[in-house]
Amino acid sequence: PAPAQAGRAPGPPDGGWGWVVVFGAFVSIGFAYAFPKGLAIFFKEIQDFFGTSYSEIAWVSSIMLATTYGAGPISSILVNRYGSRPVVMFGGLLCGVGMISAAFCTSILQLYICVGFITGFGLALNLQPSVIIIGKYFLKRRPIANGLAMAGSPVMLCTLAPLNQFLFDNFGWRGSFLILGAILLNCCVAGALFRPIGAATAPAQTQGTEEGKDALKVKIIEDGKGKSSPPNVPMESTTEEEEGKDCFEKVNQYLDFSLFKHRGFLIYLFGNVLMFLGFFAPIVFLAPYAKHTGIDEYSAAFLLSILAIVDMVARPATGIIANSRWVRPRIQYFFSFAIAFNGTCHLLCPLASSYSGLVVYSVFYGLAFGMVCALLFETLMDLVGAARFTSAVGLVTIAECCTILLGPPIGGILIDTFGDYKYMFIKCGAVMVLAGTFLFIMNYYNYRVLAKEEKERRRKEEDPKSVRTENEGRNNWKKDSAQDGPELEPLREKEGVKKEMNGT
């Protein structure tokens, strides 16, 4: 028989090749987050070329962002099945194909398909595997590693904003899309750096478990040859039941729906769904707003570069602060403050009537944006743990895609209706302040309930009469809240084999 630890992946190394993986995630995450924002440089010209409104052109970035988040469960399933490396490389190929195809589009609807859906799906296959593999390589230094990887977004945005303006001036928006499609193929190189950690992987473990179960089935059949078996229980029907059960278990393994019973996960989910209604619209309309006020094109693009430079410093700094012993135990409060601070910046943006005022707004917006992005996945992993993080990311992103899809078009409708950008900024700011306040209050409630539950558990443990009852309740709780993942698959298979033996 195989050893007890066979097939179990080693612990996170917290260094070594992990820093190379962080660099690959830096590139992959950078393109996934910065590319939809960098395309805003072309919106004014594409709008004039196709004769569309602000709300219609905003659907390009909106569909791309919504597809990037909405394809989260598909990305999670592919990562669980094939690993992060091939998924990211395939995503980079899709990104390149989508942008090259967009260069030949003749209508805004074709842009929705090529840029929005194809490129957005490719970015989805870059984003989540990059975040997931960092959790496998790091534990103690995970907030720092996440902060460094998330810094790829501002670095890429700082580079793409002036680069896109330069490409447009020299090659037009069609030629720029061809070049950008070639640049996005570098995601394939970044994915090649995602070496699987350890020799054991989930598919191999599942395969070993299946082989063990088949061997036990053969043993049961052989042992039953000399005994009388029930004539009315055919082995074929038993096998079909087992196969049906295995299919359901695999679905539940890839997407852990028991997370919807997790109080902290639900609080995080509702707060983030509300937050994303106003998260991306300001950065999409920042450059068009500057052009609308009479600022020249390069100065308008430079506002995105200023935002990205501040964001670049804010993300690693936020990761270091979040990793400190004072903040990490209550990191959810820090995340709530970052969201509310972001919304306050948008509420004050209409007061910036000159270019210098927009520069100040870009500085504070970059700081707030970097804080939110650096904590976005770390707070989720803090709530659900690394083992359930893959499923949690998939479920969160598909819920967030609806508000991500509606955010920029709603902002465009407000601009078209009132002819002024300030109402769009006020809407986004109010929504984000509300989301930050909601998360702060509900996380405070969650911490209080957890402390009360822990106190009650200790009291019961000190009471000798309730020890047996407490142990039974804990066992039942473990069964209900078992983490779906490759490491628990052998336990499920053993239970299935045991039931089959009893049945025969």
Side-chain angles (χ1 to χ4, degrees), residues 194-205:
F194 292 170
R195 186 170 66 191
I197 180 169
T201 57
Q205 187 178 6

Side-chain angles (χ1 to χ4, degrees), residues 112-131:
Y112 291 161
I113 296 172
C114 295
V115 179
F117 288 108
I118 299 177
T119 307
F121 184 65
L123 294 177
L125 299 184
N126 277 269
L127 175 60
Q128 294 194 32
S130 304
V131 176

Side-chain angles (χ1 to χ4, degrees), residues 267-343:
I267 293 172
Y268 178 92
L269 180 64
F270 288 132
N272 276 259
V273 166
L274 181 61
M275 177 196 73
F276 275 107
L277 194 60
F279 190 60
F280 287 114
I283 200 169
V284 169
F285 287 107
L286 179 57
Y289 174 46
K291 294 179 183 179
H292 179 74
T293 57
I295 297 172
D296 63 277
E297 297 175 347
Y298 277 96
S299 297
F302 188 64
L303 290 175
L304 291 176
S305 298
I306 294 173
L307 186 151
I309 292 171
V310 178
D311 190 3
M312 192 187 312
V313 179
R315 297 198 190 201
T318 303
I320 295 173
I321 295 172
N323 200 44
S324 63
R325 58 190 179 93
W326 299 283
V327 178
R328 192 167 186 182
R330 293 293 183 266
I331 195 173
Q332 306 296 332
Y333 290 149
F334 192 25
F335 182 53
S336 306
F337 166 76
I339 295 174
F341 177 45
N342 200 315

Side-chain angles (χ1 to χ4, degrees), residues 21-43:
V21 172
V22 168
F23 174 74
F26 175 91
V27 175
S28 187
I29 292 174
F31 278 118
Y33 274 122
F35 194 78
K37 307 163 194 169
L39 285 182
I41 299 296
F42 303 102
F43 281 179

Side-chain angles (χ1 to χ4, degrees), residues 230-277:
N232 55 353
V233 183
M235 185 61 68
E236 293 181 0
S237 62
T238 307
T239 306
E240 290 177 359
E241 291 177 2
E242 288 294 323
E243 289 178 355
K245 187 188 301 181
D246 291 344
C247 180
F248 176 77
E249 288 175 354
K250 287 179 181 178
V251 173
N252 196 39
Q253 171 188 339
Y254 292 140
L255 291 176
D256 186 3
F257 293 104
S258 67
L259 283 167
F260 288 108
K261 299 179 181 179
H262 193 293
R263 185 172 55 247
F265 174 78
L266 291 176
I267 293 172
Y268 178 92
L269 180 64
F270 288 132
N272 276 259
V273 166
L274 181 61
M275 177 196 73
F276 275 107
L277 194 60

